[in-house]
mmCIF file of all heavy atoms in Angstrom:
data_model
loop_
_atom_site.group_PDB
_atom_site.id
_atom_site.type_symbol
_atom_site.label_atom_id
_atom_site.label_comp_id
_atom_site.label_asym_id
_atom_site.label_seq_id
_atom_site.Cartn_x
_atom_site.Cartn_y
_atom_site.Cartn_z
ATOM 1 N N LEU A 51 161.821 99.372 82.316
ATOM 2 C CA LEU A 51 160.386 99.135 82.160
ATOM 3 C C LEU A 51 160.020 99.098 80.687
ATOM 4 O O LEU A 51 159.310 98.216 80.237
ATOM 5 C CB LEU A 51 159.587 100.272 82.817
ATOM 6 C CG LEU A 51 158.993 100.034 84.189
ATOM 7 C CD1 LEU A 51 158.268 101.260 84.666
ATOM 8 C CD2 LEU A 51 158.093 98.834 84.233
ATOM 9 N N ALA A 102 155.325 83.031 83.568
ATOM 10 C CA ALA A 102 154.805 84.101 84.445
ATOM 11 C C ALA A 102 155.654 84.213 85.707
ATOM 12 O O ALA A 102 155.849 85.312 86.231
ATOM 13 C CB ALA A 102 153.347 83.831 84.802
ATOM 14 N N TYR A 105 159.088 86.096 84.782
ATOM 15 C CA TYR A 105 159.051 87.335 84.008
ATOM 16 C C TYR A 105 158.350 88.391 84.855
ATOM 17 O O TYR A 105 157.195 88.735 84.626
ATOM 18 C CB TYR A 105 158.301 87.067 82.697
ATOM 19 C CG TYR A 105 158.588 88.138 81.690
ATOM 20 C CD1 TYR A 105 159.812 88.170 81.036
ATOM 21 C CD2 TYR A 105 157.668 89.144 81.434
ATOM 22 C CE1 TYR A 105 160.098 89.184 80.147
ATOM 23 C CE2 TYR A 105 157.947 90.150 80.548
ATOM 24 C CZ TYR A 105 159.156 90.168 79.912
ATOM 25 O OH TYR A 105 159.444 91.180 79.044
ATOM 26 N N ASN A 106 159.044 88.862 85.888
ATOM 27 C CA ASN A 106 158.386 89.698 86.899
ATOM 28 C C ASN A 106 158.985 91.089 86.984
ATOM 29 O O ASN A 106 160.103 91.310 86.572
ATOM 30 C CB ASN A 106 158.537 89.041 88.281
ATOM 31 C CG ASN A 106 158.055 87.611 88.287
ATOM 32 O OD1 ASN A 106 158.847 86.689 88.260
ATOM 33 N ND2 ASN A 106 156.756 87.431 88.288
ATOM 34 N N ASN A 107 158.203 91.983 87.548
ATOM 35 C CA ASN A 107 158.716 93.275 88.002
ATOM 36 C C ASN A 107 158.516 93.336 89.511
ATOM 37 O O ASN A 107 157.393 93.151 89.999
ATOM 38 C CB ASN A 107 157.951 94.434 87.362
ATOM 39 C CG ASN A 107 158.399 94.694 85.942
ATOM 40 O OD1 ASN A 107 159.549 94.416 85.588
ATOM 41 N ND2 ASN A 107 157.516 95.226 85.130
ATOM 42 N N PHE A 108 159.596 93.582 90.227
ATOM 43 C CA PHE A 108 159.545 93.670 91.693
ATOM 44 C C PHE A 108 160.843 94.380 92.056
ATOM 45 O O PHE A 108 161.846 93.752 92.394
ATOM 46 C CB PHE A 108 159.465 92.258 92.291
ATOM 47 C CG PHE A 108 158.900 92.156 93.686
ATOM 48 C CD1 PHE A 108 158.569 90.912 94.224
ATOM 49 C CD2 PHE A 108 158.679 93.277 94.476
ATOM 50 C CE1 PHE A 108 158.038 90.774 95.496
ATOM 51 C CE2 PHE A 108 158.146 93.166 95.759
ATOM 52 C CZ PHE A 108 157.827 91.902 96.256
ATOM 53 N N TYR A 109 160.823 95.723 91.907
ATOM 54 C CA TYR A 109 162.063 96.499 91.948
ATOM 55 C C TYR A 109 162.788 96.453 93.286
ATOM 56 O O TYR A 109 163.985 96.728 93.350
ATOM 57 C CB TYR A 109 161.801 97.938 91.488
ATOM 58 C CG TYR A 109 161.722 98.006 89.982
ATOM 59 C CD1 TYR A 109 160.510 97.939 89.323
ATOM 60 C CD2 TYR A 109 162.883 98.062 89.216
ATOM 61 C CE1 TYR A 109 160.443 97.958 87.937
ATOM 62 C CE2 TYR A 109 162.839 98.078 87.837
ATOM 63 C CZ TYR A 109 161.617 98.024 87.199
ATOM 64 O OH TYR A 109 161.569 98.018 85.833
ATOM 65 N N GLU A 110 162.063 96.074 94.336
ATOM 66 C CA GLU A 110 162.754 95.905 95.617
ATOM 67 C C GLU A 110 163.830 94.822 95.497
ATOM 68 O O GLU A 110 164.768 94.765 96.279
ATOM 69 C CB GLU A 110 161.758 95.480 96.716
ATOM 70 C CG GLU A 110 160.772 96.545 97.141
ATOM 71 C CD GLU A 110 159.508 96.569 96.282
ATOM 72 O OE1 GLU A 110 159.566 96.199 95.083
ATOM 73 O OE2 GLU A 110 158.455 96.972 96.814
ATOM 74 N N PHE A 161 146.141 90.596 82.091
ATOM 75 C CA PHE A 161 147.104 91.406 82.840
ATOM 76 C C PHE A 161 147.914 92.192 81.823
ATOM 77 O O PHE A 161 148.551 91.616 80.950
ATOM 78 C CB PHE A 161 148.029 90.472 83.648
ATOM 79 C CG PHE A 161 149.044 91.185 84.485
ATOM 80 C CD1 PHE A 161 148.735 91.581 85.769
ATOM 81 C CD2 PHE A 161 150.307 91.460 83.991
ATOM 82 C CE1 PHE A 161 149.683 92.248 86.552
ATOM 83 C CE2 PHE A 161 151.249 92.118 84.760
ATOM 84 C CZ PHE A 161 150.938 92.516 86.045
ATOM 85 N N CYS A 163 150.818 95.055 81.320
ATOM 86 C CA CYS A 163 151.852 95.906 81.911
ATOM 87 C C CYS A 163 151.982 97.183 81.093
ATOM 88 O O CYS A 163 151.774 97.185 79.879
ATOM 89 C CB CYS A 163 153.181 95.148 81.941
ATOM 90 S SG CYS A 163 154.519 96.102 82.669
ATOM 91 N N VAL A 164 152.378 98.274 81.747
ATOM 92 C CA VAL A 164 152.598 99.547 81.054
ATOM 93 C C VAL A 164 153.711 99.398 80.018
ATOM 94 O O VAL A 164 153.806 100.162 79.060
ATOM 95 C CB VAL A 164 152.912 100.663 82.086
ATOM 96 C CG1 VAL A 164 154.292 100.475 82.713
ATOM 97 C CG2 VAL A 164 152.780 102.050 81.491
ATOM 98 N N GLU A 165 154.558 98.360 80.180
ATOM 99 C CA GLU A 165 155.648 98.092 79.244
ATOM 100 C C GLU A 165 155.160 97.529 77.917
ATOM 101 O O GLU A 165 155.968 97.167 77.071
ATOM 102 C CB GLU A 165 156.600 97.046 79.847
ATOM 103 C CG GLU A 165 157.242 97.420 81.142
ATOM 104 C CD GLU A 165 157.889 96.209 81.840
ATOM 105 O OE1 GLU A 165 157.712 95.066 81.392
ATOM 106 O OE2 GLU A 165 158.563 96.434 82.843
ATOM 107 N N TRP A 167 153.596 94.608 77.434
ATOM 108 C CA TRP A 167 153.475 93.154 77.344
ATOM 109 C C TRP A 167 152.273 92.737 78.176
ATOM 110 O O TRP A 167 151.805 93.505 79.035
ATOM 111 C CB TRP A 167 154.747 92.411 77.760
ATOM 112 C CG TRP A 167 155.303 92.708 79.121
ATOM 113 C CD1 TRP A 167 156.313 93.573 79.428
ATOM 114 C CD2 TRP A 167 154.895 92.139 80.389
ATOM 115 N NE1 TRP A 167 156.548 93.577 80.786
ATOM 116 C CE2 TRP A 167 155.707 92.711 81.399
ATOM 117 C CE3 TRP A 167 153.931 91.202 80.767
ATOM 118 C CZ2 TRP A 167 155.578 92.377 82.755
ATOM 119 C CZ3 TRP A 167 153.798 90.871 82.112
ATOM 120 C CH2 TRP A 167 154.616 91.456 83.087
ATOM 121 N N MET A 169 149.738 89.214 79.765
ATOM 122 C CA MET A 169 149.577 87.789 80.089
ATOM 123 C C MET A 169 148.108 87.572 80.442
ATOM 124 O O MET A 169 147.339 88.532 80.554
ATOM 125 C CB MET A 169 150.424 87.407 81.308
ATOM 126 C CG MET A 169 151.917 87.553 81.111
ATOM 127 S SD MET A 169 152.818 86.884 82.531
ATOM 128 C CE MET A 169 154.498 87.236 82.030
ATOM 129 N N LEU A 171 146.287 85.525 83.668
ATOM 130 C CA LEU A 171 146.715 84.873 84.908
ATOM 131 C C LEU A 171 145.515 84.411 85.739
ATOM 132 O O LEU A 171 144.521 85.145 85.867
ATOM 133 C CB LEU A 171 147.574 85.847 85.726
ATOM 134 C CG LEU A 171 148.859 86.308 84.998
ATOM 135 C CD1 LEU A 171 149.519 87.455 85.746
ATOM 136 C CD2 LEU A 171 149.835 85.164 84.823
ATOM 137 N N TRP A 173 144.260 84.100 89.083
ATOM 138 C CA TRP A 173 144.507 84.525 90.471
ATOM 139 C C TRP A 173 143.561 83.820 91.431
ATOM 140 O O TRP A 173 142.432 83.469 91.059
ATOM 141 C CB TRP A 173 144.284 86.034 90.612
ATOM 142 C CG TRP A 173 145.134 86.889 89.736
ATOM 143 C CD1 TRP A 173 144.728 87.545 88.602
ATOM 144 C CD2 TRP A 173 146.516 87.219 89.912
ATOM 145 N NE1 TRP A 173 145.781 88.247 88.060
ATOM 146 C CE2 TRP A 173 146.892 88.074 88.839
ATOM 147 C CE3 TRP A 173 147.481 86.879 90.855
ATOM 148 C CZ2 TRP A 173 148.187 88.576 88.699
ATOM 149 C CZ3 TRP A 173 148.767 87.385 90.714
ATOM 150 C CH2 TRP A 173 149.106 88.220 89.654
ATOM 151 N N SER A 198 153.769 98.420 100.250
ATOM 152 C CA SER A 198 154.438 97.121 100.135
ATOM 153 C C SER A 198 155.511 96.963 101.209
ATOM 154 O O SER A 198 156.043 97.957 101.725
ATOM 155 C CB SER A 198 155.126 96.996 98.772
ATOM 156 O OG SER A 198 154.183 97.016 97.737
ATOM 157 N N TYR A 199 155.858 95.731 101.471
ATOM 158 C CA TYR A 199 156.962 95.409 102.392
ATOM 159 C C TYR A 199 158.241 96.085 101.907
ATOM 160 O O TYR A 199 158.548 96.064 100.726
ATOM 161 C CB TYR A 199 157.162 93.888 102.415
ATOM 162 C CG TYR A 199 158.351 93.459 103.240
ATOM 163 C CD1 TYR A 199 158.215 93.219 104.593
ATOM 164 C CD2 TYR A 199 159.603 93.303 102.645
ATOM 165 C CE1 TYR A 199 159.311 92.830 105.357
ATOM 166 C CE2 TYR A 199 160.704 92.915 103.401
ATOM 167 C CZ TYR A 199 160.554 92.679 104.752
ATOM 168 O OH TYR A 199 161.634 92.301 105.490
ATOM 169 N N TRP A 217 160.887 104.648 98.276
ATOM 170 C CA TRP A 217 160.478 103.439 99.001
ATOM 171 C C TRP A 217 159.769 103.830 100.290
ATOM 172 O O TRP A 217 160.092 104.867 100.846
ATOM 173 C CB TRP A 217 161.690 102.565 99.342
ATOM 174 C CG TRP A 217 162.528 102.093 98.209
ATOM 175 C CD1 TRP A 217 163.848 102.356 98.011
ATOM 176 C CD2 TRP A 217 162.134 101.237 97.127
ATOM 177 N NE1 TRP A 217 164.294 101.731 96.868
ATOM 178 C CE2 TRP A 217 163.269 101.038 96.314
ATOM 179 C CE3 TRP A 217 160.925 100.619 96.765
ATOM 180 C CZ2 TRP A 217 163.238 100.265 95.155
ATOM 181 C CZ3 TRP A 217 160.906 99.849 95.621
ATOM 182 C CH2 TRP A 217 162.038 99.680 94.838
ATOM 183 N N TYR A 219 157.429 100.893 98.221
ATOM 184 C CA TYR A 219 156.547 100.951 97.053
ATOM 185 C C TYR A 219 155.127 101.207 97.544
ATOM 186 O O TYR A 219 154.643 100.534 98.457
ATOM 187 C CB TYR A 219 156.593 99.610 96.330
ATOM 188 C CG TYR A 219 156.000 99.604 94.934
ATOM 189 C CD1 TYR A 219 156.823 99.743 93.818
ATOM 190 C CD2 TYR A 219 154.632 99.413 94.731
ATOM 191 C CE1 TYR A 219 156.302 99.708 92.531
ATOM 192 C CE2 TYR A 219 154.107 99.379 93.447
ATOM 193 C CZ TYR A 219 154.939 99.527 92.347
ATOM 194 O OH TYR A 219 154.417 99.486 91.077
ATOM 195 N N GLN A 247 157.957 85.853 94.102
ATOM 196 C CA GLN A 247 158.195 86.797 93.001
ATOM 197 C C GLN A 247 156.904 87.453 92.508
ATOM 198 O O GLN A 247 156.943 88.510 91.886
ATOM 199 C CB GLN A 247 158.938 86.111 91.839
ATOM 200 C CG GLN A 247 158.269 84.909 91.220
ATOM 201 C CD GLN A 247 158.749 83.610 91.847
ATOM 202 O OE1 GLN A 247 158.871 83.520 93.059
ATOM 203 N NE2 GLN A 247 158.992 82.598 91.017
ATOM 204 N N HIS A 248 155.749 86.844 92.761
ATOM 205 C CA HIS A 248 154.466 87.436 92.350
ATOM 206 C C HIS A 248 153.899 88.368 93.427
ATOM 207 O O HIS A 248 152.810 88.899 93.263
ATOM 208 C CB HIS A 248 153.439 86.350 92.049
ATOM 209 C CG HIS A 248 153.580 85.729 90.689
ATOM 210 N ND1 HIS A 248 153.486 86.449 89.517
ATOM 211 C CD2 HIS A 248 153.792 84.437 90.310
ATOM 212 C CE1 HIS A 248 153.633 85.633 88.477
ATOM 213 N NE2 HIS A 248 153.824 84.414 88.932
ATOM 214 N N GLY A 249 154.629 88.519 94.556
ATOM 215 C CA GLY A 249 154.157 89.470 95.568
ATOM 216 C C GLY A 249 153.506 88.810 96.757
ATOM 217 O O GLY A 249 152.539 89.334 97.321
ATOM 218 N N ARG A 253 148.699 90.599 97.388
ATOM 219 C CA ARG A 253 148.952 91.726 96.489
ATOM 220 C C ARG A 253 147.647 92.214 95.874
ATOM 221 O O ARG A 253 146.616 91.528 95.926
ATOM 222 C CB ARG A 253 149.885 91.305 95.366
ATOM 223 C CG ARG A 253 149.219 90.301 94.438
ATOM 224 C CD ARG A 253 150.002 90.031 93.191
ATOM 225 N NE ARG A 253 150.072 91.162 92.286
ATOM 226 C CZ ARG A 253 150.896 91.217 91.247
ATOM 227 N NH1 ARG A 253 151.719 90.217 91.002
ATOM 228 N NH2 ARG A 253 150.893 92.253 90.444
ATOM 229 N N GLY A 261 149.783 97.215 85.043
ATOM 230 C CA GLY A 261 150.230 96.314 86.114
ATOM 231 C C GLY A 261 150.895 96.991 87.285
ATOM 232 O O GLY A 261 150.858 96.476 88.401
ATOM 233 N N PHE A 262 151.535 98.163 87.074
ATOM 234 C CA PHE A 262 152.246 98.784 88.194
ATOM 235 C C PHE A 262 151.322 99.241 89.304
ATOM 236 O O PHE A 262 151.757 99.491 90.429
ATOM 237 C CB PHE A 262 153.167 99.925 87.713
ATOM 238 C CG PHE A 262 152.490 101.186 87.213
ATOM 239 C CD1 PHE A 262 152.121 102.180 88.097
ATOM 240 C CD2 PHE A 262 152.254 101.374 85.851
ATOM 241 C CE1 PHE A 262 151.518 103.364 87.639
ATOM 242 C CE2 PHE A 262 151.663 102.543 85.383
ATOM 243 C CZ PHE A 262 151.283 103.540 86.273
ATOM 244 N N LYS A 263 149.993 99.339 89.009
ATOM 245 C CA LYS A 263 149.049 99.730 90.073
ATOM 246 C C LYS A 263 148.881 98.609 91.116
ATOM 247 O O LYS A 263 148.414 98.851 92.211
ATOM 248 C CB LYS A 263 147.666 100.061 89.477
ATOM 249 C CG LYS A 263 147.628 101.277 88.567
ATOM 250 C CD LYS A 263 147.943 102.580 89.277
ATOM 251 C CE LYS A 263 146.894 103.032 90.273
ATOM 252 N NZ LYS A 263 147.292 104.319 90.916
ATOM 253 N N GLY A 264 149.236 97.381 90.731
ATOM 254 C CA GLY A 264 149.000 96.227 91.607
ATOM 255 C C GLY A 264 150.138 96.018 92.593
ATOM 256 O O GLY A 264 151.031 95.189 92.372
ATOM 257 N N ALA A 265 150.116 96.753 93.706
ATOM 258 C CA ALA A 265 151.210 96.663 94.692
ATOM 259 C C ALA A 265 151.330 95.229 95.209
ATOM 260 O O ALA A 265 150.336 94.571 95.501
ATOM 261 C CB ALA A 265 150.945 97.617 95.852
ATOM 262 N N LYS A 266 152.579 94.790 95.330
ATOM 263 C CA LYS A 266 152.863 93.436 95.818
ATOM 264 C C LYS A 266 153.145 93.455 97.328
ATOM 265 O O LYS A 266 153.491 94.501 97.887
ATOM 266 C CB LYS A 266 154.108 92.896 95.115
ATOM 267 C CG LYS A 266 153.928 92.694 93.620
ATOM 268 C CD LYS A 266 155.192 92.155 92.983
ATOM 269 C CE LYS A 266 154.881 91.624 91.596
ATOM 270 N NZ LYS A 266 156.049 90.973 90.995
ATOM 271 N N SER A 267 153.054 92.288 97.936
ATOM 272 C CA SER A 267 153.490 92.075 99.338
ATOM 273 C C SER A 267 153.018 93.212 100.241
ATOM 274 O O SER A 267 153.805 93.916 100.881
ATOM 275 C CB SER A 267 155.024 91.937 99.397
ATOM 276 O OG SER A 267 155.442 90.932 98.504
ATOM 277 N N TRP A 282 155.620 105.214 91.448
ATOM 278 C CA TRP A 282 155.934 105.623 90.072
ATOM 279 C C TRP A 282 155.509 107.050 89.793
ATOM 280 O O TRP A 282 156.192 107.793 89.093
ATOM 281 C CB TRP A 282 155.279 104.672 89.060
ATOM 282 C CG TRP A 282 155.977 103.363 89.044
ATOM 283 C CD1 TRP A 282 155.536 102.192 89.574
ATOM 284 C CD2 TRP A 282 157.279 103.085 88.509
ATOM 285 N NE1 TRP A 282 156.479 101.208 89.403
ATOM 286 C CE2 TRP A 282 157.547 101.724 88.750
ATOM 287 C CE3 TRP A 282 158.249 103.856 87.860
ATOM 288 C CZ2 TRP A 282 158.731 101.115 88.363
ATOM 289 C CZ3 TRP A 282 159.432 103.246 87.468
ATOM 290 C CH2 TRP A 282 159.666 101.899 87.719
HETATM 291 N N1 LIG B 188 154.885 95.964 93.609
HETATM 292 C C1 LIG B 188 156.033 96.230 94.267
HETATM 293 N N2 LIG B 188 156.019 96.232 95.609
HETATM 294 N N3 LIG B 188 157.196 96.488 93.617
HETATM 295 C C2 LIG B 188 157.255 96.520 92.246
HETATM 296 O O1 LIG B 188 158.336 96.778 91.678
HETATM 297 N N4 LIG B 188 156.030 96.263 90.141
HETATM 298 C C3 LIG B 188 154.721 96.472 89.512
HETATM 299 C C4 LIG B 188 153.632 95.584 90.147
HETATM 300 N N5 LIG B 188 153.731 95.637 91.593
HETATM 301 C C5 LIG B 188 156.055 96.250 91.511
HETATM 302 C C6 LIG B 188 154.892 95.944 92.249
HETATM 303 C C7 LIG B 188 154.761 96.231 88.070
HETATM 304 S S1 LIG B 188 155.592 97.424 87.151
HETATM 305 C C8 LIG B 188 154.158 95.156 87.484
HETATM 306 S S2 LIG B 188 154.036 95.017 85.790
HETATM 307 C C9 LIG B 188 153.598 94.065 88.289
HETATM 308 O O2 LIG B 188 153.814 94.244 89.695
HETATM 309 C C10 LIG B 188 154.237 92.740 87.879
HETATM 310 O O3 LIG B 188 153.633 91.648 88.537
HETATM 311 P P1 LIG B 188 154.182 90.170 88.280
HETATM 312 O O4 LIG B 188 155.652 90.206 88.499
HETATM 313 O O5 LIG B 188 153.485 89.272 89.234
HETATM 314 O O6 LIG B 188 153.850 89.852 86.850
#
Side-chain angles (χ1 to χ4, degrees):
L51 260 179
Y105 198 75
N106 306 103
N107 281 332
F108 202 169
Y109 281 95
E110 290 87 331
F161 181 88
C163 181
V164 71
E165 300 166 352
W167 55 263
M169 296 187 182
L171 299 169
W173 301 105
S198 296
Y199 175 88
W217 302 120
Y219 194 97
Q247 58 266 44
H248 280 300
R253 67 170 292 168
F262 70 86
K263 295 295 292 180
K266 295 180 165 186
S267 306
W282 287 106

